[in-house]
Amino acid sequence: MRGRLNTFQRAMLQWDALHPYNAIHVVRISRALDAARLQLVIETTLETRGLTGLVLDQRRGGYEYRGGPARCEIATIAPGAPALEEEIARQLNTPFAPAEPFRPFRFFVAPEVDSFRLGLVYFHAVAAAESIVRLVQAMVGAYSGSPAAAAAGALELHPRPVSLLRQPGLLARKLLALPAQLRDMKQSFRLSHRGRYDLISGFTLFALSPEQWRGLRAAGKSWGVTVNDLFLAVL
């Protein structure tokens, strides 16, 4: 599978050169952990969807999945929130080694009683979160014996590069929005008590009740911002 890196993907590669730019999804699977079965499910899912043997061509702005065996290593951590938080923070700060070819995924599990948590770590430049969610759903479906979930739709990488010259309406909207974006940038700031060269990413777990989640979404809609905007404001 070949493709072109879009503008956002190229930017993420530049960010990754400064500090690991990884993302992580963790899901709880309500079945006992069978390590051999999980290994087979993960590797088969990646291989059948052509997500192995990634080669990045940053100079030309392209990528290619050349296929081949997945050969994944799945780390096992202790159950409980402290160990999960520590592992997520460690994975966020551990770079992928983009040798040619390389596997842009890592996995870990936290066994529990009659269930376990599966973590998928990925090199964020390869895909947006929506595609990785569908990938995780396919793995969970295959492990749980759900053919419908295992056969989830084809994955979509980041959208293909868009030529604004071919979409004058979109170009006009972006130009009109530029002054407001520049004004907003003047309001951004870096906390004074943080170290200038402190690039370590931290992680903390917290839970929202259904009522809190509904209130958060309602506030976002009334203020014209996204839920991610609100989370960043909390930070």
Side-chain angles (χ1 to χ4, degrees), residues 100-113:
E100 297 187 358
F102 78 106
R103 184 181 62 253
F105 305 102
R106 294 195 295 258
F107 300 89
F108 61 88
V109 293
E112 300 172 349
V113 178

Side-chain angles (χ1 to χ4, degrees), residues 41-169:
V41 163
I42 288 176
E43 294 183 350
T44 300
T45 302
L46 294 178
E47 291 169 5
T48 56
R49 291 170 179 262
L51 297 176
T52 60
L54 176 62
V55 175
L56 294 174
D57 186 348
Q58 297 189 47
R59 185 173 64 86
R60 297 181 179 179
Y63 66 87
E64 178 183 3
Y65 287 96
R66 295 182 177 175
R71 295 175 182 169
C72 297
E73 295 182 3
I74 306 174
T76 301
I77 64 173
L84 185 59
E85 289 185 7
E86 291 177 4
E87 181 64 14
I88 290 175
R90 187 182 73 83
Q91 292 287 357
L92 286 173
N93 292 283
T94 302
F96 282 87
E100 297 187 358
F102 78 106
R103 184 181 62 253
F105 305 102
R106 294 195 295 258
F107 300 89
F108 61 88
V109 293
E112 300 172 349
V113 178
D114 297 328
S115 67
F116 64 95
R117 296 185 186 273
L118 170 65
L120 186 157
V121 189
Y122 64 103
F123 188 60
H124 204 348
V126 302
E130 290 82 358
S131 288
I132 301 301
V133 168
R134 288 200 290 271
L135 181 64
V136 173
Q137 287 175 334
M139 292 177 178
V140 173
Y143 186 87
S144 304
S146 172
L155 304 178
E156 296 179 0
L157 300 181
H158 284 285
R160 295 179 180 179
V162 176
S163 174
L164 294 178
L165 296 178
R166 295 182 179 179
Q167 300 189 37

